[in-house]
């Protein structure tokens, strides 16, 4: 799982053709405060990253963006990230799904079946 630290890299990654890119917007301070919830989401996303295909049959890449990083803060604003965690699915650079809060493994799988 890659952590993106600049807008240019984000645009390149989410614009990748013929892949679904799952972007996990998070903050280190939230991770430390709610460790068990953050670990649950990370575990669900890692499982998805390694074993699940999207409903469209496309492979899935998973990346993370730390919303406390000033270099990528404009992305959180652009995609109206108001609560953490927020996970947004992209296909060919376009948003195709999202969720806010904890979904767990089954919820993440359901989201990916729709993309």
């Amino acid at each position: 799982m890659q952590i993106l630290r600049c807008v240019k890299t984000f645009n390149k990654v989410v614009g990748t053709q013929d892949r679904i890119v799952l972007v996990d917007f998070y903050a280190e301070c939230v991770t430390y405060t709610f460790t068990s919830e953050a670990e649950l989401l990370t575990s669900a996303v890692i499982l998805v990253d390694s074993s699940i295909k999207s409903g469209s049959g496309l492979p899935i890449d998973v990346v993370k963006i730390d919303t406390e990083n000033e270099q990528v803060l404009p992305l959180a604003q652009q995609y109206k990230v108001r609560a953490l965690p927020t996970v947004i699915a992209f296909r060919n650079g376009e948003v195709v799904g999202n969720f806010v809060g904890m979904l767990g493994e089954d919820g993440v799988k359901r989201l990916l079946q729709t993309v």
Side-chain angles (χ1 to χ4, degrees):
M1 188 175 325
Q2 179 182 11
I3 297 177
L4 303 181
R5 292 184 167 81
C6 74
V7 174
K8 184 177 178 179
T9 303
F10 170 85
N11 289 332
K12 181 179 178 181
V13 169
V14 301
T16 303
Q17 299 294 306
D18 300 323
R19 300 190 78 75
I20 300 297
V21 180
L22 205 58
V23 180
D24 175 10
F25 288 87
Y26 76 103
E28 284 296 324
C29 69
V30 173
T31 301
Y32 292 130
T33 305
F34 303 104
T35 302
S36 61
E37 288 184 9
E39 287 173 358
L40 283 172
L41 178 62
T42 299
S43 297
V45 170
I46 287 171
L47 176 69
V48 164
D49 189 30
S50 63
S51 67
I52 304 295
K53 288 206 181 244
S54 65
S56 61
L58 295 174
I60 299 166
D61 292 330
V62 179
V63 297
K64 294 176 74 78
I65 292 182
D66 182 356
T67 58
E68 294 180 312
N69 178 339
E70 289 183 18
Q71 301 252 339
V72 291
L73 185 58
L75 294 171
Q77 295 167 340
Q78 177 181 347
Y79 292 101
K80 297 177 177 43
V81 174
R82 305 266 189 264
L84 300 174
T86 293
V87 177
I88 302 175
F90 292 86
R91 179 178 182 180
N92 301 329
E94 299 294 322
V95 174
V96 293
N98 70 329
F99 67 87
V100 178
M102 297 304 300
L103 277 186
E105 182 181 332
D106 291 337
V108 173
K109 286 179 182 178
R110 278 192 304 276
L111 168 71
L112 293 174
Q113 291 305 311
T114 67
V115 298

